[in-house]
Amino acid sequence: MNGIKIRGTGRAVPEKVITNQDLAHIVETNDEWITSRTGIRRRHHCAGETHTSLSVSAAKAALARAGVSPGQVGACIVATVTADTLVPSAACLLQRELGLPTDTPCFDLNAACTGFLYALHTMECLLNASPRKFGLVVGCEQLSRVINWADRGTCILFGDGAGAAVVECREGWPSIGAVLGSQGDDELLRLPGIETGERGFISMEGTKVFKFAVEVIPRCMEQVLEQAHMTAADVDFFVFHQANARIIDLAVRKFRIPPEKYYKNIQEYGNTSAASIPLVLSELQDLGKVDSGSRTLVVGFGGGLTWGGALIEFA
Ligand code: UT7
């Protein structure tokens, strides 16, 4: 199978910022607890923006950065659990807003916080069979619409945002070597479907999910490295799903990753689920921390339960 590389990234976040201090007026919490337990200081919530407007802005920025026109796109996937409408999908709305060719497969993908990685792998498979070799992969969430404001254990965590990547598939490029997994569980992390009789909020057994993440991340990283016949020292950069700074710190310590080789933006955005990894990738590209040829190990985990890792390169 021919592999994909990232040509360009883009991102969009709502203007409205919710600080830890703001949350202390809503639930019994404080800045010290939130910062020390999670690393989060601020998160952005939609107030006027929509899921569609965020995904369109991020996708347009990624296309511009990649120098790719909508007519060159062969497939479009939006990883999300909070689209404006279940039907039409967020990806179909992107097709309309961007003017993607009507023979482009466009669909949403739900793998919660691992969604962007699942989507990258799916895109690699799709582009191998597509006459057009550019793909648009978006991670977008409006989690502020599914927050339970009576639950201080979760309401402090989540933010809205979108990140997008234009990828290219070329003969001879190595596969991203995605390692993906799932284990059905509707208790640790749950967002009910429509009209189930449950209120449409996210609920989470935080400590248990923390434990799951701390176990699955190293396992996943080792599998990706083993498959690529590489060690952690061969990797140029590491990108982790931004769910909790302490989870990232534990992984970094375990693999002895130096500070210049990983990045956190959880302090600014909180946990944005499927948008978290592409938000990091987009900031890294703007900061010049990743360039063509650099090998980035990306790891995600989340509801489902789901997890995944892959080795990605920028073109
Ligand atoms: O992206 C998908 C994957 N999600 C994750 O990876 C999330 C993983 N889990 C976590 O990040 C952490 O478990 C949380 C940040 C959600 C919670 O941190 P924790 O260290 O596991 O805290 P806890 O739930 O065990 O609660 C400890 C204490 C409790 O008080 P008592 O029972 O010890 O008196 C909570 O009631 O902290 C209390 N607490 C709070 N206090 C102030 C819980 N939330 C808050 C709060 N402010 N917001």
Side-chain angles (χ1 to χ4, degrees):
M1 185 163 75
N2 298 314
I4 53 169
K5 292 187 185 185
I6 294 183
R7 270 270 161 228
T9 56
R11 64 182 180 280
V13 287
E15 271 181 38
K16 185 179 169 191
V17 170
I18 312 281
T19 64
N20 292 348
Q21 196 52 44
D22 294 333
L23 292 174
H25 296 302
I26 302 171
V27 286
E28 200 184 326
T29 190
N30 56 74
D31 178 52
E32 201 283 325
W33 192 96
I34 301 174
T35 307
S36 62
R37 296 286 182 127
T38 70
I40 302 169
R41 292 181 184 277
R42 294 146 57 95
R43 67 289 287 145
H44 296 240
H45 284 181
C46 289
E49 302 91 348
T50 62
H51 187 286
T52 305
S53 71
L54 291 178
S55 66
V56 169
S57 300
K60 281 185 175 168
L63 286 166
R65 183 77 190 242
V68 169
S69 68
Q72 294 174 281
V73 171
C76 169
I77 306 176
V78 179
T80 188
V81 294
T82 52
D84 285 333
T85 43
L86 285 181
V87 179
S89 68
C92 281
L93 295 178
L94 261 187
Q95 181 281 324
R96 182 180 68 188
E97 298 303 315
L98 299 175
L100 302 179
T102 51
D103 62 351
T104 309
C106 295
F107 60 94
D108 291 358
L109 185 155
N110 168 4
C113 305
T114 324
F116 189 78
L117 273 167
Y118 267 64
L120 275 182
H121 172 70
T122 308
M123 184 57 79
E124 190 170 74
C125 299
L126 279 175
L127 289 183
N128 270 274
S130 165
R132 296 192 295 277
K133 294 300 178 189
F134 293 103
L136 180 58
V137 184
V138 181
C140 182
E141 300 290 6
Q142 191 177 344
L143 293 167
S144 59
R145 57 165 44 133
V146 292
I147 285 174
N148 179 359
W149 289 106
D151 176 11
R152 68 176 178 169
T154 56
C155 73
I156 55 139
L157 298 172
F158 301 111
D160 302 339
V166 172
V167 300
E168 182 181 356
C169 181
R170 260 205 214 164
E171 209 172 321
W173 278 354
S175 162
I176 61 170
V179 168
L180 304 173
S182 60
Q183 183 185 322
D185 183 298
D186 59 359
E187 285 172 10
L188 296 196
L189 188 42
R190 183 175 172 85
L191 175 58
I194 43 171
E195 302 295 337
T196 57
E198 290 177 70
R199 299 179 75 187
F201 297 146
I202 289 186
S203 59
M204 180 170 68
E205 297 271 356
T207 312
K208 288 181 184 164
V209 175
F210 191 102
K211 198 164 169 272
F212 151 72
V214 168
E215 284 169 6
V216 84
I217 291 171
R219 190 163 16 110
C220 199
M221 288 171 71
E222 273 155 11
Q223 284 173 0
V224 173
L225 290 171
E226 193 183 319
Q227 199 172 270
H229 307 291
M230 287 168 65
T231 68
D234 301 322
V235 175
D236 297 303
F237 214 90
F238 294 83
V239 170
F240 299 95
H241 167 49
Q242 309 280 306
N244 187 317
R246 288 189 293 137
I247 294 176
I248 298 172
D249 293 342
L250 286 168
V252 161
R253 215 172 303 148
K254 195 173 175 86
F255 286 86
R256 296 199 172 89
I257 300 169
E260 65 277 11
K261 279 195 174 186
Y262 69 97
Y263 186 73
K264 285 184 211 159
N265 61 13
I266 187 167
Q267 66 280 1
E268 178 62 33
Y269 304 124
N271 182 345
T272 57
S273 191
S276 124
I277 286 171
L279 277 175
V280 172
L281 293 173
S282 164
E283 291 196 344
L284 289 179
Q285 197 177 26
D286 281 358
L287 293 167
K289 285 182 183 286
V290 284
D291 47 26
S292 81
S294 65
R295 286 164 302 183
T296 303
L297 203 167
V298 184
V299 196
F301 53 90
L305 302 166
T306 55
W307 59 90
L311 263 177
I312 60 167
E313 286 185 34
F314 284 73

